[in-house]
Amino acid sequence: MADEDRSRLSLIVFSGDYDRVHYAMAMAAAAVAIARPVTLLFTMGAIRALAAPADDGTPGWTNLKPAENGQKAADRDAAHERSGVATLEELISACAELGAAFEVCEMAMTSEGIAHDDLRDDLKITSGGLVGFLSEAEREGGRIVFV
């Protein structure tokens, strides 16, 4: 099936909880793997999933809120790796390699005190707003999922 035959999946990644961000990325990776166009709009606490690494190389997403089981983001991610579940970094990389679009909400960046320079530079991340996101989401019979 060609890309134009697949309906667009537009994910609003709102929650800054590790588990929710991880699942949103898993959903996005699965969709792009079957040639479905995907746009991820990161807003509010979820923007931290795209934070630049610390000076010591620690991924910025380790500052996400703890998982639902109380584990810190890095510990939960390590548990996923040990269990054979894709890590957050693997999912982010897969989405980028397969062509998912990464966007950050300008309003949320202002609200959260995050500058574009605070984000990863290894991903193509665009800034935008709700009007642009919603206009794009309607294309190709799109679906919007809020996480």
Side-chain angles (χ1 to χ4, degrees):
M1 201 178 254
D3 287 356
E4 59 272 2
D5 296 331
R6 297 279 188 171
S7 60
R8 172 171 295 282
L9 176 61
S10 298
L11 289 149
I12 300 172
V13 190
F14 175 88
S15 174
D17 298 350
Y18 171 84
D19 283 337
R20 291 175 192 248
V21 171
H22 184 272
Y23 200 78
M25 295 307 303
M27 190 183 320
V32 292
I34 61 169
R36 191 169 180 179
V38 173
T39 300
L40 293 141
L41 175 67
F42 290 83
T43 187
M44 304 313 287
I47 294 173
R48 287 175 176 71
L50 302 179
D55 291 337
D56 66 1
T58 302
W61 56 259
T62 60
N63 290 317
L64 288 168
K65 291 180 184 175
E68 292 203 15
N69 68 1
Q71 283 182 307
K72 291 180 181 178
D75 295 337
R76 181 73 163 155
D77 205 62
H80 282 161
E81 185 173 32
R82 287 190 301 275
S83 299
V85 173
T87 65
L88 187 55
E89 197 60 43
E90 289 170 334
L91 292 169
I92 291 170
S93 294
C95 285
E97 289 171 20
L98 293 171
F102 290 82
E103 294 182 18
V104 290
C105 176
E106 291 174 349
M107 178 180 65
M109 289 181 69
T110 300
S111 176
E112 295 289 306
I114 299 171
H116 208 281
D117 289 344
D118 297 331
L119 303 177
R120 298 169 65 135
D121 61 8
D122 62 327
L123 298 173
K124 181 182 177 196
I125 303 171
T126 59
S127 297
L130 292 172
V131 172
F133 174 80
L134 292 171
S135 295
E136 183 71 18
E138 292 176 344
R139 294 180 52 224
E140 300 151 345
R143 307 284 189 270
I144 298 174
V145 176
F146 185 91
V147 183

